[in-house]
Amino acid sequence: MRLLKVATCNLNQWAMDFDCNLKNIKESIVRAKDAGAVIRLGPELEITGYGCEDHFLELDTVNHAWECLKELLVGDWTDGILCSFGMPVIKGSERYNCQIICMNRKIIMIRPKMWLANDGNYRELRWFTAWKQRDQLVDFQLPNEIAETLSQESAPFGYGYIQFLDTAVAAEVCEELFTPIPPHAELALNGVEVFMNANGSHHQLRKLDIRLRAFIGATHTRGGVYMYSNHQGCDGGRLYYDGCASVAINGDLVAQGSQFSLKDVEVVIAQIDLDAVASLRGSISSFQEQASCKTRVPFVEARYSLCQSFNLKTCLSSPLKIKYHSPEEEIAFGPGCWLWDYLRRSGASGFLLPLSGGADSSSVAAIVGCMCQLVVKEIANGDEQVKADAIRIGQYKDGQYPTDSEEFAKRIFYTVFMGSENSSEATKSRAKVLADEIGSWHLDVPIDGVVSALLSLFQTVTGKRPKYKVDGGSNVENLGLQNIQARIRMVLAFMFASLLPWVHNKPGFYLVLGSSNVDEALRGYFTKYDCSAADINPIGSISKQDLRAFLRWAATHLSYASLADIEAAPPTAELEPIRSNYSQLDEVDMGMTYQELSVYGRMRKIFRCGPISMFKNLCYRWGTKLTPREVAEKVKHFFKYYSINRHKMTVLTPSYHAESYSPEDNRFDLRQFLYNARWPFQFRKIDDLVRELDGDRVHLGDSSDQDKLVDISHGAGGMGVVAAGSGNPNVGL
């Protein structure tokens, strides 16, 4: 038997914080050594942090990475253990995303990434070059200071593997696993038995299975040991890296780390028998045949042995059942952990949330409550770093620390119900009950006096006072009155966030939390610069349907029973007066349901559908319930308001990324924000298709009406075009 003990890591790195990152790396090596591991794998670009973005273009970033690597190699950190460290490297005129593979204070090999992640949230081609030479390893001249310190002038650089005396080891970096022809395929044919994959993979709802199946499948038909490492936490941006460091052998998962955790360092250990790999490969005829005519991959010889022989004191790792979280748990734990990292690293003293008693803001409140529960639980489990952060943020003294989540919430979480004459007693009551369940410091702040003062000022200047539509006002008046309330709440939220700590003799400031969901952002169903404009938004890319399921789950599993009543209530903005014959409802205002919005969003982004493609697809999907004409009207209605409101994405509050159809403009969904909202060419084509399908030669609507425009300037800094006759209360604002 060839027994091999390996260690892979979840590390909570912080982009550009080299002290923090180096501390975590050292801690992971200590734990790996203490467990007896002879291979230690860390996440991609772990020395700098993965999310440095344009900081990768700075020479300082690369130089600091070498300085940190030097510290690791000068000490005894790599003695007796093979370590793979991720960092940027400049070779000649090119900058590469590399794994530096080290052992016994020497650099054995530098492995540049060959296939870069360059879609969705990733822009690696902006900062790095892909390594294209696959047939040879080249000499890389080490920086002078490194060379002198290590007494090593150069190191092999390129694509290849390391041949030890008793096994062969290779790196496969993140995106390379997911390419059509992944490197591990030919590496396995060349005899590589251990694959080290350093990752920078972010959380997305329902995504984990894709990732796990990829590397488990990599070893199913080819054999081998696959080590997977990842970042875990918020490293400075919208993404939460969700860990799940794992080890697989021959198609079985034998070790799996946590997906969501407040720990800065988590090391996952596995003990495996490499003879099982050789046995499987020897039993597959097709593997033998393909290996006999393989393309040769260059390698580096390392005159070390990594394996131990048969030893009854050593237990082999057994296959595990994969641990998955439900989507509801993902919504609770992912944003909850992200908020904790943001809070402790931002210097803020807590959070402030405008709590309306509706589903969205209540979801955010529940996530903060979940965060408080996680903090208390982790402290009880002995995590000293979480304890130190909680003592500092919560201003505990005389050896005290959080032992109760509600008491901790009272110290770090303000909720504010900013009601108007249009607010119902039901929502006010629901907000208060939920705040009490979570433990937040709750305030009831009437805003009618402020609204009235603004309207009086307007009347003094113009001689006119606007009225709501239900009271005989026009659409323009109705919209203006709603937007005043929404924007006043934003101003008040930031005022309370900055001044309430001062009132309570607390240092610092509070972060304002937003609470608009992904569907409303897609449709533009919010006022520009209203109380959705905040510092950060934990639910900004989560759909309404998922949030409602989360509320039902949280009512039981987080013990916030009032969430069940909140989920059951119909969604409403409560910006218009309630009358016996009228009550404002979100889906009526939008002219579409939240379920429909999820469909539109996925088709627009995930399946890359324009108006014509979406119409055709929805004719198949909805054809049993709707006529082609009805489908056409729905598609045109969506694209009209999507394009009118696209400009709002430019000021969207930075949101936790959780959904692949997020319309977030700044990093993920790169499209223009000034559209011809009539879509004349596309809508005409849809009309033609409808006539063909229906046999109806009557033109859909009066084109002369569609060509009329009203108001091309909406709200503060708004832009877009609005078709005549539009009565939606949140159009373009």
Side-chain angles (χ1 to χ4, degrees):
M1 299 182 77
R2 291 177 296 146
L3 302 181
L4 183 72
K5 183 169 280 191
V6 299
T8 184
C9 311
N10 292 330
L11 298 185
N12 193 335
Q13 307 298 77
W14 191 2
M16 300 301 292
D17 188 336
F18 293 92
D19 286 339
C20 163
N21 298 343
L22 195 57
K23 173 179 175 292
N24 291 343
I25 291 169
K26 289 178 177 179
E27 177 64 25
S28 70
I29 296 173
V30 169
R31 295 191 193 181
K33 283 186 173 184
D34 288 346
V38 293
I39 299 178
R40 175 268 178 200
L41 173 66
E44 184 178 14
L45 295 168
E46 61 181 316
I47 292 179
T48 58
Y50 184 83
C52 295
E53 299 188 323
D54 279 4
H55 283 295
F56 284 127
L57 303 178
E58 300 168 3
L59 291 179
D60 279 2
T61 304
V62 180
N63 292 336
H64 294 333
W66 280 113
E67 291 165 354
C68 292
L69 182 66
K70 173 187 170 183
E71 185 171 336
L72 290 168
L73 291 173
V74 168
D76 61 357
W77 304 101
T78 63
D79 289 358
I81 187 169
L82 182 71
C83 292
S84 182
F85 303 116
M87 59 176 268
V89 173
I90 294 177
K91 182 182 184 300
S93 301
E94 306 93 47
R95 185 183 295 100
Y96 294 99
N97 175 351
C98 295
Q99 289 299 120
I100 316 292
I101 304 174
C102 310
M103 189 173 184
N104 293 333
R105 311 190 189 199
K106 298 292 182 182
I107 298 174
I108 298 178
M109 178 183 177
I110 301 176
R111 165 66 156 86
K113 192 173 182 179
M114 298 186 297
W115 307 111
L116 301 179
N118 205 58
D119 49 26
N121 287 293
Y122 300 104
R123 300 286 180 275
E124 287 187 18
L125 278 171
R126 181 179 174 94
W127 311 301
F128 302 111
T129 300
W131 179 253
K132 301 175 181 68
Q133 301 178 39
R134 297 172 61 90
D135 58 344
Q136 63 176 332
L137 291 166
V138 300
D139 279 339
F140 175 79
Q141 184 66 42
L142 296 174
N144 289 337
E145 188 175 349
I146 300 294
E148 292 174 2
T149 302
L150 302 182
S151 298
Q152 178 183 356
E153 293 185 355
S154 64
F157 187 102
Y159 168 59
Y161 63 93
I162 304 172
Q163 182 64 61
F164 289 89
L165 295 175
D166 47 7
T167 188
V169 180
E172 182 173 64
V173 189
C174 196
E175 179 73 12
E176 295 173 352
L177 169 63
F178 302 98
T179 56
I181 306 176
H184 67 253
E186 65 177 0
L187 288 168
L189 295 176
N190 276 266
V192 173
E193 294 179 310
V194 181
F195 304 94
M196 303 183 296
N197 193 312
N199 259 253
S201 188
H202 69 278
H203 171 240
Q204 195 166 285
L205 293 178
R206 306 174 181 88
K207 175 188 171 187
L208 180 61
D209 182 65
I210 297 173
R211 195 191 314 161
L212 291 180
R213 293 299 174 188
F215 65 77
I216 292 173
T219 66
H220 181 72
T221 56
R222 303 177 185 91
V225 176
Y226 208 99
M227 301 170 61
Y228 172 90
S229 67
N230 197 13
H231 294 268
Q232 187 173 58
C234 167
D235 77 342
R238 294 160 172 79
L239 303 183
Y240 177 80
Y241 300 95
D242 60 336
C244 210
S246 303
V247 180
I249 176 172
N250 293 353
D252 289 320
L253 189 73
V254 296
Q256 180 182 1
S258 66
Q259 187 179 11
F260 308 108
S261 173
L262 302 185
K263 298 180 186 297
D264 284 343
V265 178
E266 182 178 359
V267 178
V268 178
I269 305 293
Q271 176 82 54
I272 38 92
D273 174 18
L274 288 181
D275 280 353
V277 175
S279 176
L280 176 63
R281 290 177 174 177
S283 69
I284 303 173
S285 176
S286 59
F287 186 94
Q288 298 283 302
E289 292 298 318
Q290 291 187 357
S292 68
C293 58
K294 61 184 175 288
T295 299
R296 297 281 179 179
V297 175
F299 64 89
V300 177
E301 288 189 351
R303 309 298 294 175
Y304 306 116
S305 294
L306 296 179
C307 301
Q308 294 181 334
S309 57
F310 175 69
N311 184 351
L312 281 178
K313 295 181 180 180
T314 301
C315 296
L316 294 179
S317 300
S318 301
L320 303 174
K321 182 179 179 181
I322 300 174
K323 167 65 176 175
Y324 292 112
H325 290 284
S326 68
E328 294 80 12
E329 291 174 319
E330 291 184 89
I331 292 171
F333 301 141
C337 293
W338 182 76
L339 284 176
W340 177 245
D341 275 348
Y342 205 102
L343 177 61
R344 71 192 182 106
R345 289 173 170 172
S346 67
S349 301
F351 298 117
L352 182 139
L353 171 69
L355 182 60
S356 70
D360 293 335
S361 62
S362 296
S363 295
V364 174
I367 289 169
V368 176
C370 178
M371 182 203 79
C372 294
Q373 293 182 18
L374 290 173
V375 168
V376 170
K377 180 180 179 181
E378 207 58 48
I379 292 174
N381 290 336
D383 192 308
E384 292 299 321
Q385 183 62 59
V386 174
K387 182 178 179 180
D389 288 331
I391 290 173
R392 173 178 55 84
I393 296 168
Q395 293 295 297
Y396 288 91
K397 301 183 183 301
D398 302 324
Q400 294 183 322
Y401 56 86
T403 57
D404 177 80
S405 64
E406 292 180 33
E407 186 274 334
F408 185 53
K410 182 73 72 175
R411 289 173 175 260
I412 67 157
F413 189 29
Y414 288 124
T415 51
V416 185
F417 180 81
M418 291 184 276
S420 73
E421 60 183 357
N422 302 320
S423 303
S424 67
E425 284 299 320
T427 54
K428 178 179 178 180
S429 174
R430 286 196 290 263
K432 178 66 168 66
V433 172
L434 177 60
D436 289 342
E437 290 174 340
I438 294 170
S440 66
W441 190 293
H442 187 70
L443 297 173
D444 180 10
V445 181
I447 67 170
D448 290 326
V450 184
V451 172
S452 179
L454 287 174
L455 291 176
S456 295
L457 173 62
F458 181 84
Q459 186 174 14
T460 299
V461 173
T462 66
K464 291 187 176 182
R465 193 177 186 93
K467 295 186 293 186
Y468 289 102
K469 191 172 182 179
V470 294
D471 297 327
S474 65
N475 286 333
V476 172
E477 294 170 78
N478 198 62
L479 181 57
L481 287 170
Q482 292 182 70
N483 289 340
I484 289 171
Q485 298 168 71
R487 290 185 173 123
I488 282 299
R489 286 171 173 146
M490 182 271 288
V491 174
L492 290 175
F494 278 97
M495 183 184 74
F496 282 115
S498 62
L499 292 179
L500 279 178
W502 167 71
V503 171
H504 293 139
N505 295 315
K506 294 181 179 180
F509 61 97
Y510 275 47
L511 293 164
V512 178
L513 297 180
S515 58
S516 59
N517 62 64
V518 70
D519 297 324
E520 291 171 349
L522 177 67
R523 167 61 174 73
Y525 187 70
F526 61 92
T527 302
K528 205 172 187 179
Y529 308 114
D530 72 348
C531 60
S532 65
D535 290 308
I536 50 175
N537 182 359
I539 66 167
S541 68
I542 303 176
S543 73
K544 190 77 163 189
Q545 293 184 96
D546 282 337
L547 287 174
R548 296 188 72 164
F550 164 70
L551 290 174
R552 293 191 293 270
W553 175 88
T556 301
H557 294 85
L558 297 181
S559 300
Y560 303 146
S562 65
L563 293 176
D565 292 334
I566 292 170
E567 189 277 329
T572 173
E574 289 196 333
L575 293 171
E576 296 182 68
I578 300 172
R579 298 288 187 264
S580 59
N581 60 346
Y582 177 77
S583 180
Q584 186 180 20
L585 296 174
D586 288 352
E587 292 182 331
V588 175
D589 280 351
M590 292 190 297
M592 58 192 77
T593 67
Y594 283 107
Q595 185 175 9
E596 288 172 344
L597 264 173
S598 290
V599 173
Y600 299 144
R602 287 182 168 87
M603 286 195 167
R604 182 198 68 94
K605 178 65 177 176
I606 301 174
F607 300 105
R608 298 164 294 280
C609 288
I612 308 298
S613 298
M614 186 181 293
F615 168 72
K616 291 177 178 178
N617 277 279
L618 289 179
C619 279
Y620 285 112
R621 183 187 287 244
W622 293 344
T624 58
K625 297 180 181 179
L626 300 174
T627 66
R629 182 187 298 274
E630 291 170 327
V631 173
E633 291 305 317
K634 285 182 176 291
V635 170
K636 290 193 287 186
H637 185 72
F638 164 71
F639 272 101
K640 170 183 171 182
Y641 286 104
Y642 158 75
S643 54
I644 286 171
N645 291 297
R646 177 67 187 175
H647 64 92
K648 297 179 184 179
M649 296 303 97
T650 64
V651 297
L652 195 68
T653 294
S655 302
Y656 177 96
H657 180 88
E659 183 59 79
S660 56
Y661 71 90
S662 169
E664 198 271 337
D665 172 81
N666 297 292
R667 294 290 190 278
F668 183 68
D669 186 34
L670 306 182
R671 287 170 167 81
Q672 76 267 34
F673 55 86
L674 179 61
Y675 280 89
N676 184 341
R678 297 183 306 252
W679 296 79
F681 184 89
Q682 295 90 334
F683 286 4
R684 188 168 64 249
K685 293 293 183 181
I686 291 177
D687 290 351
D688 291 342
L689 285 170
V690 170
R691 282 195 295 270
E692 288 179 28
L693 294 169
D694 284 354
D696 181 2
R697 307 308 299 177
V698 178
H699 192 279
L700 293 180
D702 185 348
S703 61
S704 62
D705 285 343
Q706 293 187 21
D707 290 336
K708 294 177 182 176
L709 298 179
V710 294
D711 189 11
I712 61 171
S713 177
H714 319 293
M719 60 186 67
V721 289
V722 184
S726 169
N728 189 289
N730 284 288
V731 171
L733 292 172

